[in-house]
Amino acid sequence: MDGAGGAPRLSYGLNVNPMPPLCGQPVTLALGMSNQTAQVVNLSEITCQMVVGQLATALTDDTTDLHLHHPKGWKITQNGGAFHLTPASEAAGTIGAAGLEFDIGNIRVNDQSGPTPITVQEHSTGRDGQRLGTWRTQLNKETPPLKLDDLSADPPDVDYLGNTTLSWSATQGAVIEIVLPDKTIRTLKDQPDTPLAAQGSYLLEGLEKSTVITVIATGQKGDGTRDRQEQQITVALSPAMVQHAEAVTCTAPGGLPAVQFRLQPKSEQHLTISGPDLDPLRIAVDPAQLDAKGYLSVPETPIPRLFPTTYMIEVENPDSAEP
């Protein structure tokens, strides 16, 4: 990164952190200057100019919230991508063997990789009078290495037909895909023209079984080739469960002894109730059948005896091999 062109009296250099600048990430420029001549140089102004915009030839598309630092006795004024460095006094502008450094930090590099110029103009006075000297250098912006981190599902376990929110974080500009066993999701829900964000989330609804979910991030390397990262997460289907069950003896129409079951299933499930002298009852639980406390009452079932009897309740998730 060598200076070229013009005839400034001072020698200039630019320290870039990080080097190279990475698209979508902040960078700090430290402009250093030193007097390597045998005479004193008087500076009236130095202008540092960067290109602003969204094209590859621009460094940044946002010049707000920058961190500006200058030596004692100097000041910096900003006009877009131009930074005017001026001494507060003639003494401050007199440059001898000691050099100067000005820092411009928190510059957000735009999303387009490629070379971008930095131009410095020096207004100075020396033995041969006033001079406008120009120094130029070039920064090569690169696409950051592709990363895919922080894949999570909240909650990680769901009931039958439950929902979970999938979250991820990838490098800015990455293309995201969510791969499910039966489909691939590339856009926002109800917004088919809007791609999934590199850092985002997605609500998965109505899960019927434990599901392996793959999130794929793809991006472009600095040499133009494609890069790909993927992570997997499993959202488990919670076991079918009846949280409470009770059987109450009663009398069915016609005076026959009967039993009534009152159950509290955890979610929409299939129940099978069996016991002595009772043909197995298979019940598909409909949430609309549950009362305000989540209980399901099974109609009276006639049985020939009323002495203490143990009944078995088997529970399974619908259309699932996960009991």
Side-chain angles (χ1 to χ4, degrees):
M1 189 172 64
D2 297 326
R9 286 187 167 92
L10 300 183
S11 298
Y12 289 84
L14 192 65
N15 184 41
V16 183
N17 186 26
M19 183 65 178
L22 299 177
C23 295
Q25 299 184 14
V27 66
T28 295
L29 305 182
L31 177 63
M33 56 204 75
S34 61
N35 185 355
Q36 299 181 9
T37 70
Q39 57 181 293
V40 171
V41 175
N42 295 307
L43 296 178
S44 59
E45 182 180 8
I46 298 172
T47 299
C48 180
Q49 177 76 53
M50 65 181 68
V51 181
V52 177
Q54 298 180 344
L55 300 179
T57 53
L59 176 61
T60 181
D61 55 8
D62 184 3
T63 57
T64 61
D65 298 323
L66 302 184
H67 300 163
L68 307 179
H69 299 279
H70 55 80
K72 184 178 180 180
W74 283 75
K75 63 180 180 179
I76 301 180
T77 57
Q78 178 188 352
N79 183 14
F83 301 86
H84 304 282
L85 320 174
T86 54
S89 65
E90 183 177 344
T94 301
I95 310 301
L100 297 173
E101 181 176 294
F102 297 85
D103 296 342
I104 307 172
N106 199 40
I107 306 169
R108 182 196 172 278
V109 181
N110 69 14
D111 293 332
Q112 302 299 318
S113 61
T116 181
I118 300 292
T119 303
V120 175
Q121 288 190 320
E122 173 196 277
H123 299 261
S124 65
T125 302
R127 292 177 181 176
D128 56 351
Q130 295 181 345
R131 182 188 300 180
L132 174 61
T134 301
W135 179 83
R136 295 182 178 88
T137 189
Q138 178 175 283
L139 306 181
N140 291 305
K141 301 174 296 172
E142 294 187 5
T143 302
L146 181 64
K147 291 184 179 181
L148 176 61
D149 300 309
D150 303 327
L151 179 60
S152 65
D154 184 23
D157 304 314
V158 298
D159 293 334
Y160 179 76
L161 296 183
N163 305 333
T164 189
T165 298
L166 195 67
S167 301
W168 63 88
S169 178
T171 303
Q172 184 71 28
V175 177
I176 301 296
E177 296 178 300
I178 302 173
V179 181
L180 303 174
D182 59 341
K183 62 181 177 180
T184 298
I185 301 169
R186 299 182 176 89
T187 60
L188 296 180
K189 198 181 296 289
D190 301 325
Q191 298 183 46
D193 296 328
T194 304
L196 296 171
Q199 297 92 35
S201 61
Y202 194 93
L203 178 64
L204 297 173
E205 301 177 282
L207 297 179
E208 297 181 355
K209 60 181 67 176
S210 294
T211 305
V212 177
I213 303 166
T214 304
V215 173
I216 301 173
T218 56
Q220 184 169 302
K221 297 181 180 179
D223 60 4
T225 60
R226 302 294 290 176
D227 198 1
R228 170 188 169 109
Q229 298 284 329
E230 68 176 58
Q231 288 190 1
Q232 285 189 335
I233 193 170
T234 299
V235 177
L237 191 66
S238 298
M241 182 184 299
V242 170
Q243 300 180 97
H244 180 80
E246 60 184 34
V248 180
T249 57
C250 58
T251 301
L256 295 175
V259 64
Q260 184 181 47
F261 298 95
R262 193 163 184 264
L263 313 170
Q264 189 181 31
K266 185 177 179 182
S267 63
E268 182 174 338
Q269 298 163 342
H270 286 169
L271 310 177
T272 301
I273 305 174
S274 58
D277 302 318
L278 176 65
D279 292 333
L281 296 175
R282 184 164 175 79
I283 303 169
V285 177
D286 182 348
Q289 297 174 320
L290 306 182
D291 63 20
K293 295 184 177 181
Y295 281 90
L296 171 70
S297 295
V298 180
E300 295 89 348
T301 303
I303 56 176
R305 295 188 293 250
L306 286 177
F307 53 77
T309 304
T310 299
Y311 296 95
M312 178 182 295
I313 301 175
E314 296 178 277
V315 191
E316 62 181 354
N317 290 307
D319 302 320
S320 169
E322 302 178 48

